[in-house]
Amino acid sequence: MSEIVEILASASLWIAMVRIASPLIFATLGELICERAGVLNLGIEGIMVAGAFSGWLAAYAGMGLWPAVAVACLTGMGFGLLHAGLTVLFGLSQHVVGIGITLLATSSSYFAYRVALPEVASPPKIEAFQNWPVPVLSQITLIGPAFFDQTPMTYLAFGLAGLVSWLLARTPLGLALRAVGENPAAVDAQGLSVAWLRSGAVIAGSGLMAMGGAFLTLSAFNSFFFGMVNGRGWICIALVVFGAWRPGKALAGALLFAGFDALQIRLQQTTLGADLPYQIFLMLPYLLSILALVLSSRRASVPAALMRPFRKGER
Amino acid sequence: MRLEPIAAPGFARRVLPPLVALGATTLAGAALARFAGADAFAALGLIAKGALGTKFALMETLNRATPLIFAGLSVAVAFRARLWNIGAEAQLYAGALVTVLLGTGILPLPSPLLIPVLALAAILAGAVLLIVPAMLKLRLGVDEVVTTLLVNFIMLLIVSMLLEGPLKDPMGMGWPKSAPLVHEARLPRILPGLRLHWGFGLAVIAAFAVWIIDRRTVAGFEMRAVGAGEAAARFAGIRVPRVVLRTAALSGGLAALAGFSEVAGLKGNLTLDLSPGYGYTGIVVAMLAALNPFGVVLAALFVAAVFVGADSMSRAAGVPTYIADMLLAFALLAMVLALTMTRYRLRRA
């Protein structure tokens, strides 16, 4: 028991929590924007891989780190454009297109990596983002190092959560986006273009997902390797549901999930971890995600037109 | 721009778009091979030769198609009823796990009894694994896309845990693999001397069975009715929850048979790399087949040929094997688009 208290009192747990949450925040916000506009984007897992790869490749080719983030974002937007074209313009099944895009984005990243670097044993490293401690605030016990001594991309993630929240709740554009996910026919009757609004949301959201992927290579691991996204995209889809399609709650969900993830790694090294197989600990985040979905399922906050293609003139 | 339905699509309308999609996929393959520095059309030729060129290659393709047929059928059955089962991978491993649990010597039965018992136990395990998310969907409205996806990760960890714990083969030189199945539990080969096992035969029979259920039984009609529109189905007196659970049992059971056939037919034991994502590829197979059971067999053969051919081409021409996944993703997106274009045309708004 004292071991667990010791873990909870250590700054490293809370630092790890915020670091693990950062890519999830980017991608969860991206998915949330898509879903609020009525489009389920199952391309998220692959778009994160493409973002991780393209961001890393740009930095490896000698670009600066921020331009590399922009490259990742643009790559994601490209896949978002494809997704929007197929699901919004042609009204194809969002499940199928999303899975197709995950497969396409993942395999094209791996293919391009292998073409660019045919024979490398260990993945080449890049100079990743360094921590930017915020003066004064980073000195606070526990909270300081966790929230105010991170890389600039983490600050960007939290800033974006605030921005998306404000955008959705307080601006005419946000109102139109939310309306297009609830009742596209009404938006159409207002003279606004459902297709443009939804496409814009999917493209912007996909850009954010790719930035989440780029966090992994440019801020967390400083190199690219196969399988590095490892289901994070799917977790983000669960986080959107858990967060009841609200940016603030989704951010809290991402921190909660990341906290458990950081905790389970540390629990493996305790006496408890010596008795239990390590797979039990690795399972915990997934089991908790399912439990959270079950507990939050009764709230009827799902966008009413989610997964419903809109065809003008059809009812 | 907007889509406009075509009232009575002519022959050309129904045939041309899918052909264009196939042609575009071939061209994309050539372009990718060129991008990787190989001779484009030579590489495509090597894929075809590597998949179908020799008796050995052909058997390899048919063996590779076997789990894809089961997984594709599983997805097709579920998607038809709008049950979004993304968890075929987990159900596959559940089937494989049960096959190993019961097939390594606990049951002293002769082959003609043991093999059906193992298959049924595998079906049961896969069915249960999908019925739980289906119940959560029906009772609590929990989205099954997310739950079935997450169960894939949990299942792999359970298999990993068991293979490093109670199921670990004591004679396995420390590798995390299960003990081999007893001889009576192994599926025989279809023809002596060839590597093709009866799992393939079973998969084709399963496709026939699904077709019969789908087109010739009330249960199949009800599943399609629920897929076409839940409200209308309920109005017609169909008990929707029961149909969804029945669909889940069938879909999960089919995916589990993929695991059963890989263990009992091909590998003979369980390892953590039993499936390189057959459950996910099953979604591609089902969609390429437009959810038609016989289409699933053809699509699985096509997908298996691309994988086996790309492996062999990669060794000869140095193009990364990921070209296979790219081509499948391209083919999937092009084909769903083409199938829509057989029924709609694009008009300026």
Side-chain angles (χ1 to χ4, degrees), chain A residues 90 92 95-96 100 104 107-108 110 231 234 238 278-279 293 297 311, chain B residues 3 84 140 145 149 160-161 164 287 322 325-326 329 332 340 344:
Chain A
F90 286 97
L92 302 182
H95 289 102
V96 178
L104 185 67
S107 56
S108 49
Y110 292 176
W234 310 133
Y278 68 93
Q279 290 95 343
L293 287 179
S297 63
R311 296 205 180 104
Chain B
L3 286 181
W84 305 109
L140 299 166
V145 172
L149 249 173
S160 155
M161 188 167 80
E164 287 177 17
M287 294 318 300
Y322 295 106
D325 299 273
M326 283 188 80
L332 171 69
T340 301
Y344 290 90

PDB file of all heavy atoms in Angstrom, chain A residues 90 92 95-96 100 104 107-108 110 231 234 238 278-279 293 297 311, chain B residues 3 84 140 145 149 160-161 164 287 322 325-326 329 332 340 344:
ATOM      1  N   PHE A  90     -19.862  11.884 -51.765  1.00  0.00           N
ATOM      2  CA  PHE A  90     -20.468  10.681 -52.340  1.00  0.00           C
ATOM      3  C   PHE A  90     -21.358   9.938 -51.344  1.00  0.00           C
ATOM      4  O   PHE A  90     -22.024   8.974 -51.718  1.00  0.00           O
ATOM      5  CB  PHE A  90     -19.392   9.741 -52.871  1.00  0.00           C
ATOM      6  CG  PHE A  90     -18.773  10.224 -54.148  1.00  0.00           C
ATOM      7  CD1 PHE A  90     -17.585  10.916 -54.142  1.00  0.00           C
ATOM      8  CD2 PHE A  90     -19.400   9.992 -55.362  1.00  0.00           C
ATOM      9  CE1 PHE A  90     -17.019  11.374 -55.322  1.00  0.00           C
ATOM     10  CE2 PHE A  90     -18.840  10.448 -56.540  1.00  0.00           C
ATOM     11  CZ  PHE A  90     -17.648  11.137 -56.527  1.00  0.00           C
ATOM     12  N   LEU A  92     -20.622   7.800 -49.014  1.00  0.00           N
ATOM     13  CA  LEU A  92     -20.291   6.387 -48.787  1.00  0.00           C
ATOM     14  C   LEU A  92     -20.284   6.086 -47.289  1.00  0.00           C
ATOM     15  O   LEU A  92     -20.210   6.986 -46.458  1.00  0.00           O
ATOM     16  CB  LEU A  92     -18.909   6.068 -49.366  1.00  0.00           C
ATOM     17  CG  LEU A  92     -18.726   6.328 -50.854  1.00  0.00           C
ATOM     18  CD1 LEU A  92     -17.324   5.909 -51.284  1.00  0.00           C
ATOM     19  CD2 LEU A  92     -19.754   5.567 -51.662  1.00  0.00           C
ATOM     20  N   HIS A  95     -18.026   3.988 -41.934  1.00  0.00           N
ATOM     21  CA  HIS A  95     -17.218   2.905 -41.357  1.00  0.00           C
ATOM     22  C   HIS A  95     -16.195   2.418 -42.364  1.00  0.00           C
ATOM     23  O   HIS A  95     -15.010   2.283 -42.068  1.00  0.00           O
ATOM     24  CB  HIS A  95     -18.107   1.729 -40.959  1.00  0.00           C
ATOM     25  CG  HIS A  95     -18.968   2.012 -39.782  1.00  0.00           C
ATOM     26  ND1 HIS A  95     -20.309   2.311 -39.898  1.00  0.00           N
ATOM     27  CD2 HIS A  95     -18.689   2.047 -38.473  1.00  0.00           C
ATOM     28  CE1 HIS A  95     -20.805   2.519 -38.696  1.00  0.00           C
ATOM     29  NE2 HIS A  95     -19.850   2.373 -37.815  1.00  0.00           N
ATOM     30  N   VAL A  96     -16.688   2.131 -43.578  1.00  0.00           N
ATOM     31  CA  VAL A  96     -15.820   1.518 -44.577  1.00  0.00           C
ATOM     32  C   VAL A  96     -14.734   2.487 -45.024  1.00  0.00           C
ATOM     33  O   VAL A  96     -13.552   2.141 -45.086  1.00  0.00           O
ATOM     34  CB  VAL A  96     -16.659   1.066 -45.783  1.00  0.00           C
ATOM     35  CG1 VAL A  96     -15.763   0.466 -46.838  1.00  0.00           C
ATOM     36  CG2 VAL A  96     -17.705   0.080 -45.340  1.00  0.00           C
ATOM     37  N   GLY A 100     -10.783   2.065 -44.547  1.00  0.00           N
ATOM     38  CA  GLY A 100      -9.947   2.125 -45.743  1.00  0.00           C
ATOM     39  C   GLY A 100      -8.858   3.169 -45.593  1.00  0.00           C
ATOM     40  O   GLY A 100      -7.707   2.944 -45.971  1.00  0.00           O
ATOM     41  N   LEU A 104      -4.910   2.712 -45.665  1.00  0.00           N
ATOM     42  CA  LEU A 104      -4.140   3.416 -46.692  1.00  0.00           C
ATOM     43  C   LEU A 104      -3.059   4.296 -46.058  1.00  0.00           C
ATOM     44  O   LEU A 104      -1.893   4.260 -46.480  1.00  0.00           O
ATOM     45  CB  LEU A 104      -5.072   4.272 -47.553  1.00  0.00           C
ATOM     46  CG  LEU A 104      -4.425   4.981 -48.743  1.00  0.00           C
ATOM     47  CD1 LEU A 104      -3.975   3.965 -49.773  1.00  0.00           C
ATOM     48  CD2 LEU A 104      -5.395   5.964 -49.388  1.00  0.00           C
ATOM     49  N   SER A 107      -0.321   2.008 -44.346  1.00  0.00           N
ATOM     50  CA  SER A 107       0.550   1.262 -45.248  1.00  0.00           C
ATOM     51  C   SER A 107       1.383   2.210 -46.107  1.00  0.00           C
ATOM     52  O   SER A 107       2.545   1.917 -46.378  1.00  0.00           O
ATOM     53  CB  SER A 107      -0.269   0.312 -46.118  1.00  0.00           C
ATOM     54  OG  SER A 107      -1.252   1.014 -46.830  1.00  0.00           O
ATOM     55  N   SER A 108       0.824   3.370 -46.497  1.00  0.00           N
ATOM     56  CA  SER A 108       1.645   4.258 -47.323  1.00  0.00           C
ATOM     57  C   SER A 108       2.778   4.863 -46.491  1.00  0.00           C
ATOM     58  O   SER A 108       3.866   5.077 -47.014  1.00  0.00           O
ATOM     59  CB  SER A 108       0.804   5.335 -48.012  1.00  0.00           C
ATOM     60  OG  SER A 108      -0.045   5.968 -47.109  1.00  0.00           O
ATOM     61  N   TYR A 110       4.352   3.283 -43.976  1.00  0.00           N
ATOM     62  CA  TYR A 110       5.338   2.205 -43.840  1.00  0.00           C
ATOM     63  C   TYR A 110       6.073   1.975 -45.159  1.00  0.00           C
ATOM     64  O   TYR A 110       7.293   1.765 -45.189  1.00  0.00           O
ATOM     65  CB  TYR A 110       4.660   0.902 -43.388  1.00  0.00           C
ATOM     66  CG  TYR A 110       4.124   0.935 -41.973  1.00  0.00           C
ATOM     67  CD1 TYR A 110       3.413  -0.140 -41.457  1.00  0.00           C
ATOM     68  CD2 TYR A 110       4.322   2.040 -41.149  1.00  0.00           C
ATOM     69  CE1 TYR A 110       2.909  -0.116 -40.162  1.00  0.00           C
ATOM     70  CE2 TYR A 110       3.823   2.074 -39.860  1.00  0.00           C
ATOM     71  CZ  TYR A 110       3.115   0.989 -39.365  1.00  0.00           C
ATOM     72  OH  TYR A 110       2.629   1.008 -38.095  1.00  0.00           O
ATOM     73  N   GLY A 231      -2.889   1.733 -31.497  1.00  0.00           N
ATOM     74  CA  GLY A 231      -4.256   1.783 -30.985  1.00  0.00           C
ATOM     75  C   GLY A 231      -4.643   3.078 -30.307  1.00  0.00           C
ATOM     76  O   GLY A 231      -5.768   3.200 -29.815  1.00  0.00           O
ATOM     77  N   TRP A 234      -7.860   4.569 -31.713  1.00  0.00           N
ATOM     78  CA  TRP A 234      -9.113   3.934 -31.276  1.00  0.00           C
ATOM     79  C   TRP A 234      -9.480   4.404 -29.873  1.00  0.00           C
ATOM     80  O   TRP A 234     -10.650   4.608 -29.547  1.00  0.00           O
ATOM     81  CB  TRP A 234      -9.003   2.414 -31.302  1.00  0.00           C
ATOM     82  CG  TRP A 234      -8.483   1.842 -32.589  1.00  0.00           C
ATOM     83  CD1 TRP A 234      -7.513   0.893 -32.717  1.00  0.00           C
ATOM     84  CD2 TRP A 234      -8.923   2.129 -33.932  1.00  0.00           C
ATOM     85  NE1 TRP A 234      -7.312   0.608 -34.048  1.00  0.00           N
ATOM     86  CE2 TRP A 234      -8.147   1.332 -34.801  1.00  0.00           C
ATOM     87  CE3 TRP A 234      -9.879   2.990 -34.468  1.00  0.00           C
ATOM     88  CZ2 TRP A 234      -8.305   1.378 -36.187  1.00  0.00           C
ATOM     89  CZ3 TRP A 234     -10.032   3.031 -35.847  1.00  0.00           C
ATOM     90  CH2 TRP A 234      -9.256   2.236 -36.684  1.00  0.00           C
ATOM     91  N   ALA A 238     -12.996   6.333 -28.249  1.00  0.00           N
ATOM     92  CA  ALA A 238     -13.674   6.055 -26.981  1.00  0.00           C
ATOM     93  C   ALA A 238     -13.708   7.313 -26.110  1.00  0.00           C
ATOM     94  O   ALA A 238     -14.701   7.578 -25.429  1.00  0.00           O
ATOM     95  CB  ALA A 238     -12.969   4.917 -26.237  1.00  0.00           C
ATOM     96  N   TYR A 278       2.276  -9.081 -16.268  1.00  0.00           N
ATOM     97  CA  TYR A 278       2.288  -7.677 -16.685  1.00  0.00           C
ATOM     98  C   TYR A 278       1.147  -7.356 -17.647  1.00  0.00           C
ATOM     99  O   TYR A 278       0.703  -6.219 -17.761  1.00  0.00           O
ATOM    100  CB  TYR A 278       3.633  -7.307 -17.311  1.00  0.00           C
ATOM    101  CG  TYR A 278       3.912  -7.984 -18.632  1.00  0.00           C
ATOM    102  CD1 TYR A 278       3.590  -7.360 -19.827  1.00  0.00           C
ATOM    103  CD2 TYR A 278       4.501  -9.252 -18.691  1.00  0.00           C
ATOM    104  CE1 TYR A 278       3.833  -7.974 -21.043  1.00  0.00           C
ATOM    105  CE2 TYR A 278       4.748  -9.870 -19.894  1.00  0.00           C
ATOM    106  CZ  TYR A 278       4.418  -9.235 -21.075  1.00  0.00           C
ATOM    107  OH  TYR A 278       4.647  -9.854 -22.263  1.00  0.00           O
ATOM    108  N   GLN A 279       0.635  -8.388 -18.353  1.00  0.00           N
ATOM    109  CA  GLN A 279      -0.437  -8.141 -19.320  1.00  0.00           C
ATOM    110  C   GLN A 279      -1.693  -7.602 -18.643  1.00  0.00           C
ATOM    111  O   GLN A 279      -2.444  -6.840 -19.242  1.00  0.00           O
ATOM    112  CB  GLN A 279      -0.790  -9.425 -20.082  1.00  0.00           C
ATOM    113  CG  GLN A 279       0.276  -9.876 -21.058  1.00  0.00           C
ATOM    114  CD  GLN A 279       1.211 -10.898 -20.450  1.00  0.00           C
ATOM    115  OE1 GLN A 279       1.273 -11.048 -19.228  1.00  0.00           O
ATOM    116  NE2 GLN A 279       1.953 -11.611 -21.275  1.00  0.00           N
ATOM    117  N   LEU A 293     -17.286   3.775 -21.052  1.00  0.00           N
ATOM    118  CA  LEU A 293     -18.321   3.870 -22.074  1.00  0.00           C
ATOM    119  C   LEU A 293     -19.644   3.361 -21.541  1.00  0.00           C
ATOM    120  O   LEU A 293     -20.699   3.947 -21.775  1.00  0.00           O
ATOM    121  CB  LEU A 293     -17.923   3.045 -23.303  1.00  0.00           C
ATOM    122  CG  LEU A 293     -16.816   3.617 -24.160  1.00  0.00           C
ATOM    123  CD1 LEU A 293     -16.519   2.688 -25.316  1.00  0.00           C
ATOM    124  CD2 LEU A 293     -17.231   4.972 -24.687  1.00  0.00           C
ATOM    125  N   SER A 297     -22.996   5.707 -20.985  1.00  0.00           N
ATOM    126  CA  SER A 297     -23.822   5.418 -22.154  1.00  0.00           C
ATOM    127  C   SER A 297     -25.227   6.003 -22.062  1.00  0.00           C
ATOM    128  O   SER A 297     -25.847   6.266 -23.078  1.00  0.00           O
ATOM    129  CB  SER A 297     -23.931   3.910 -22.317  1.00  0.00           C
ATOM    130  OG  SER A 297     -24.582   3.360 -21.192  1.00  0.00           O
ATOM    131  N   ARG A 311     -28.129  13.995 -48.260  1.00  0.00           N
ATOM    132  CA  ARG A 311     -28.312  14.220 -49.692  1.00  0.00           C
ATOM    133  C   ARG A 311     -29.450  15.202 -49.862  1.00  0.00           C
ATOM    134  O   ARG A 311     -30.567  14.961 -49.396  1.00  0.00           O
ATOM    135  CB  ARG A 311     -28.639  12.909 -50.420  1.00  0.00           C
ATOM    136  CG  ARG A 311     -27.497  11.928 -50.343  1.00  0.00           C
ATOM    137  CD  ARG A 311     -27.525  10.941 -51.488  1.00  0.00           C
ATOM    138  NE  ARG A 311     -26.390  10.033 -51.347  1.00  0.00           N
ATOM    139  CZ  ARG A 311     -26.497   8.787 -50.905  1.00  0.00           C
ATOM    140  NH1 ARG A 311     -27.658   8.296 -50.587  1.00  0.00           N
ATOM    141  NH2 ARG A 311     -25.421   8.036 -50.799  1.00  0.00           N
TER     142      ARG A 311
ATOM    143  N   LEU B   3     -25.314  14.069 -55.710  1.00  0.00           N
ATOM    144  CA  LEU B   3     -25.557  12.764 -56.311  1.00  0.00           C
ATOM    145  C   LEU B   3     -27.015  12.655 -56.714  1.00  0.00           C
ATOM    146  O   LEU B   3     -27.894  13.123 -56.016  1.00  0.00           O
ATOM    147  CB  LEU B   3     -25.251  11.648 -55.312  1.00  0.00           C
ATOM    148  CG  LEU B   3     -23.795  11.367 -55.020  1.00  0.00           C
ATOM    149  CD1 LEU B   3     -23.708  10.228 -54.041  1.00  0.00           C
ATOM    150  CD2 LEU B   3     -23.038  11.038 -56.282  1.00  0.00           C
ATOM    151  N   TRP B  84     -21.898  -3.408 -36.331  1.00  0.00           N
ATOM    152  CA  TRP B  84     -20.558  -3.049 -36.811  1.00  0.00           C
ATOM    153  C   TRP B  84     -19.511  -3.803 -36.013  1.00  0.00           C
ATOM    154  O   TRP B  84     -18.948  -3.293 -35.061  1.00  0.00           O
ATOM    155  CB  TRP B  84     -20.354  -1.537 -36.768  1.00  0.00           C
ATOM    156  CG  TRP B  84     -21.403  -0.813 -37.527  1.00  0.00           C
ATOM    157  CD1 TRP B  84     -22.397  -0.052 -37.011  1.00  0.00           C
ATOM    158  CD2 TRP B  84     -21.601  -0.805 -38.951  1.00  0.00           C
ATOM    159  NE1 TRP B  84     -23.188   0.434 -38.027  1.00  0.00           N
ATOM    160  CE2 TRP B  84     -22.720  -0.011 -39.215  1.00  0.00           C
ATOM    161  CE3 TRP B  84     -20.931  -1.403 -40.028  1.00  0.00           C
ATOM    162  CZ2 TRP B  84     -23.199   0.209 -40.508  1.00  0.00           C
ATOM    163  CZ3 TRP B  84     -21.408  -1.179 -41.309  1.00  0.00           C
ATOM    164  CH2 TRP B  84     -22.520  -0.384 -41.535  1.00  0.00           C
ATOM    165  N   LEU B 140     -27.759  -0.877 -23.281  1.00  0.00           N
ATOM    166  CA  LEU B 140     -27.264   0.394 -22.761  1.00  0.00           C
ATOM    167  C   LEU B 140     -26.912   1.390 -23.843  1.00  0.00           C
ATOM    168  O   LEU B 140     -26.513   2.517 -23.554  1.00  0.00           O
ATOM    169  CB  LEU B 140     -26.027   0.143 -21.883  1.00  0.00           C
ATOM    170  CG  LEU B 140     -26.255  -0.734 -20.650  1.00  0.00           C
ATOM    171  CD1 LEU B 140     -24.936  -1.183 -20.072  1.00  0.00           C
ATOM    172  CD2 LEU B 140     -27.057   0.021 -19.607  1.00  0.00           C
ATOM    173  N   VAL B 145     -18.811  -0.354 -32.254  1.00  0.00           N
ATOM    174  CA  VAL B 145     -17.565  -0.131 -32.993  1.00  0.00           C
ATOM    175  C   VAL B 145     -16.402  -0.028 -32.004  1.00  0.00           C
ATOM    176  O   VAL B 145     -15.365  -0.680 -32.149  1.00  0.00           O
ATOM    177  CB  VAL B 145     -17.643   1.161 -33.839  1.00  0.00           C
ATOM    178  CG1 VAL B 145     -16.294   1.485 -34.449  1.00  0.00           C
ATOM    179  CG2 VAL B 145     -18.682   1.019 -34.918  1.00  0.00           C
ATOM    180  N   LEU B 149     -13.594  -3.030 -31.048  1.00  0.00           N
ATOM    181  CA  LEU B 149     -12.201  -2.661 -31.341  1.00  0.00           C
ATOM    182  C   LEU B 149     -11.308  -2.840 -30.121  1.00  0.00           C
ATOM    183  O   LEU B 149     -10.211  -3.397 -30.197  1.00  0.00           O
ATOM    184  CB  LEU B 149     -12.169  -1.184 -31.729  1.00  0.00           C
ATOM    185  CG  LEU B 149     -11.845  -0.838 -33.163  1.00  0.00           C
ATOM    186  CD1 LEU B 149     -12.040   0.634 -33.380  1.00  0.00           C
ATOM    187  CD2 LEU B 149     -10.471  -1.278 -33.532  1.00  0.00           C
ATOM    188  N   SER B 160      -1.426 -13.508 -24.932  1.00  0.00           N
ATOM    189  CA  SER B 160      -0.021 -13.359 -24.565  1.00  0.00           C
ATOM    190  C   SER B 160       0.232 -13.836 -23.132  1.00  0.00           C
ATOM    191  O   SER B 160       1.205 -14.544 -22.846  1.00  0.00           O
ATOM    192  CB  SER B 160       0.377 -11.886 -24.722  1.00  0.00           C
ATOM    193  OG  SER B 160       1.460 -11.563 -23.905  1.00  0.00           O
ATOM    194  N   MET B 161      -0.700 -13.487 -22.230  1.00  0.00           N
ATOM    195  CA  MET B 161      -0.573 -13.881 -20.826  1.00  0.00           C
ATOM    196  C   MET B 161      -0.614 -15.404 -20.688  1.00  0.00           C
ATOM    197  O   MET B 161       0.208 -16.005 -19.991  1.00  0.00           O
ATOM    198  CB  MET B 161      -1.725 -13.248 -20.052  1.00  0.00           C
ATOM    199  CG  MET B 161      -1.685 -13.382 -18.567  1.00  0.00           C
ATOM    200  SD  MET B 161      -2.894 -12.252 -17.862  1.00  0.00           S
ATOM    201  CE  MET B 161      -4.392 -13.172 -18.083  1.00  0.00           C
ATOM    202  N   GLU B 164       2.489 -17.164 -22.024  1.00  0.00           N
ATOM    203  CA  GLU B 164       3.669 -17.055 -21.166  1.00  0.00           C
ATOM    204  C   GLU B 164       3.415 -17.711 -19.813  1.00  0.00           C
ATOM    205  O   GLU B 164       4.311 -17.805 -18.989  1.00  0.00           O
ATOM    206  CB  GLU B 164       4.044 -15.582 -20.973  1.00  0.00           C
ATOM    207  CG  GLU B 164       4.664 -15.000 -22.227  1.00  0.00           C
ATOM    208  CD  GLU B 164       4.981 -13.517 -22.090  1.00  0.00           C
ATOM    209  OE1 GLU B 164       5.016 -13.014 -20.958  1.00  0.00           O
ATOM    210  OE2 GLU B 164       5.180 -12.890 -23.138  1.00  0.00           O
ATOM    211  N   MET B 287     -16.127  -5.934 -47.746  1.00  0.00           N
ATOM    212  CA  MET B 287     -16.555  -4.766 -48.501  1.00  0.00           C
ATOM    213  C   MET B 287     -16.278  -4.926 -49.990  1.00  0.00           C
ATOM    214  O   MET B 287     -17.084  -4.530 -50.820  1.00  0.00           O
ATOM    215  CB  MET B 287     -15.866  -3.506 -47.990  1.00  0.00           C
ATOM    216  CG  MET B 287     -16.223  -3.093 -46.590  1.00  0.00           C
ATOM    217  SD  MET B 287     -17.960  -3.231 -46.151  1.00  0.00           S
ATOM    218  CE  MET B 287     -18.713  -2.152 -47.354  1.00  0.00           C
ATOM    219  N   TYR B 322       4.741  -3.727 -48.000  1.00  0.00           N
ATOM    220  CA  TYR B 322       3.595  -2.892 -47.639  1.00  0.00           C
ATOM    221  C   TYR B 322       2.805  -2.459 -48.866  1.00  0.00           C
ATOM    222  O   TYR B 322       1.690  -1.962 -48.747  1.00  0.00           O
ATOM    223  CB  TYR B 322       4.054  -1.673 -46.841  1.00  0.00           C
ATOM    224  CG  TYR B 322       4.647  -2.069 -45.524  1.00  0.00           C
ATOM    225  CD1 TYR B 322       6.020  -2.003 -45.308  1.00  0.00           C
ATOM    226  CD2 TYR B 322       3.834  -2.554 -44.513  1.00  0.00           C
ATOM    227  CE1 TYR B 322       6.573  -2.400 -44.112  1.00  0.00           C
ATOM    228  CE2 TYR B 322       4.370  -2.951 -43.309  1.00  0.00           C
ATOM    229  CZ  TYR B 322       5.745  -2.872 -43.110  1.00  0.00           C
ATOM    230  OH  TYR B 322       6.279  -3.274 -41.920  1.00  0.00           O
ATOM    231  N   ASP B 325      -0.681  -3.988 -48.748  1.00  0.00           N
ATOM    232  CA  ASP B 325      -1.697  -3.298 -47.940  1.00  0.00           C
ATOM    233  C   ASP B 325      -2.181  -2.031 -48.638  1.00  0.00           C
ATOM    234  O   ASP B 325      -3.366  -1.698 -48.587  1.00  0.00           O
ATOM    235  CB  ASP B 325      -1.117  -2.932 -46.571  1.00  0.00           C
ATOM    236  CG  ASP B 325      -0.683  -4.154 -45.809  1.00  0.00           C
ATOM    237  OD1 ASP B 325      -1.535  -4.728 -45.118  1.00  0.00           O
ATOM    238  OD2 ASP B 325       0.493  -4.545 -45.927  1.00  0.00           O
ATOM    239  N   MET B 326      -1.236  -1.325 -49.286  1.00  0.00           N
ATOM    240  CA  MET B 326      -1.638  -0.097 -49.985  1.00  0.00           C
ATOM    241  C   MET B 326      -2.605  -0.409 -51.109  1.00  0.00           C
ATOM    242  O   MET B 326      -3.604   0.278 -51.296  1.00  0.00           O
ATOM    243  CB  MET B 326      -0.406   0.612 -50.564  1.00  0.00           C
ATOM    244  CG  MET B 326       0.383   1.365 -49.538  1.00  0.00           C
ATOM    245  SD  MET B 326       1.658   2.358 -50.323  1.00  0.00           S
ATOM    246  CE  MET B 326       0.711   3.776 -50.855  1.00  0.00           C
ATOM    247  N   ALA B 329      -6.033  -1.233 -49.691  1.00  0.00           N
ATOM    248  CA  ALA B 329      -6.742  -0.035 -49.238  1.00  0.00           C
ATOM    249  C   ALA B 329      -7.274   0.728 -50.442  1.00  0.00           C
ATOM    250  O   ALA B 329      -8.429   1.172 -50.463  1.00  0.00           O
ATOM    251  CB  ALA B 329      -5.805   0.852 -48.420  1.00  0.00           C
ATOM    252  N   LEU B 332     -10.152  -1.138 -51.957  1.00  0.00           N
ATOM    253  CA  LEU B 332     -11.352  -1.013 -51.118  1.00  0.00           C
ATOM    254  C   LEU B 332     -12.069   0.308 -51.387  1.00  0.00           C
ATOM    255  O   LEU B 332     -13.270   0.340 -51.671  1.00  0.00           O
ATOM    256  CB  LEU B 332     -10.954  -1.117 -49.649  1.00  0.00           C
ATOM    257  CG  LEU B 332     -12.043  -0.785 -48.630  1.00  0.00           C
ATOM    258  CD1 LEU B 332     -13.122  -1.848 -48.636  1.00  0.00           C
ATOM    259  CD2 LEU B 332     -11.467  -0.643 -47.237  1.00  0.00           C
ATOM    260  N   THR B 340     -21.097   2.638 -55.683  1.00  0.00           N
ATOM    261  CA  THR B 340     -22.055   3.742 -55.591  1.00  0.00           C
ATOM    262  C   THR B 340     -22.330   4.322 -56.971  1.00  0.00           C
ATOM    263  O   THR B 340     -23.474   4.660 -57.295  1.00  0.00           O
ATOM    264  CB  THR B 340     -21.508   4.846 -54.672  1.00  0.00           C
ATOM    265  OG1 THR B 340     -21.271   4.269 -53.396  1.00  0.00           O
ATOM    266  CG2 THR B 340     -22.495   5.979 -54.521  1.00  0.00           C
ATOM    267  N   TYR B 344     -25.684   5.813 -58.853  1.00  0.00           N
ATOM    268  CA  TYR B 344     -25.870   7.270 -58.804  1.00  0.00           C
ATOM    269  C   TYR B 344     -25.025   7.926 -59.888  1.00  0.00           C
ATOM    270  O   TYR B 344     -24.053   7.358 -60.353  1.00  0.00           O
ATOM    271  CB  TYR B 344     -25.414   7.827 -57.447  1.00  0.00           C
ATOM    272  CG  TYR B 344     -26.287   7.451 -56.281  1.00  0.00           C
ATOM    273  CD1 TYR B 344     -26.026   6.287 -55.555  1.00  0.00           C
ATOM    274  CD2 TYR B 344     -27.339   8.259 -55.892  1.00  0.00           C
ATOM    275  CE1 TYR B 344     -26.825   5.931 -54.482  1.00  0.00           C
ATOM    276  CE2 TYR B 344     -28.131   7.914 -54.815  1.00  0.00           C
ATOM    277  CZ  TYR B 344     -27.872   6.757 -54.115  1.00  0.00           C
ATOM    278  OH  TYR B 344     -28.646   6.418 -53.045  1.00  0.00           O
TER     279      TYR B 344
END
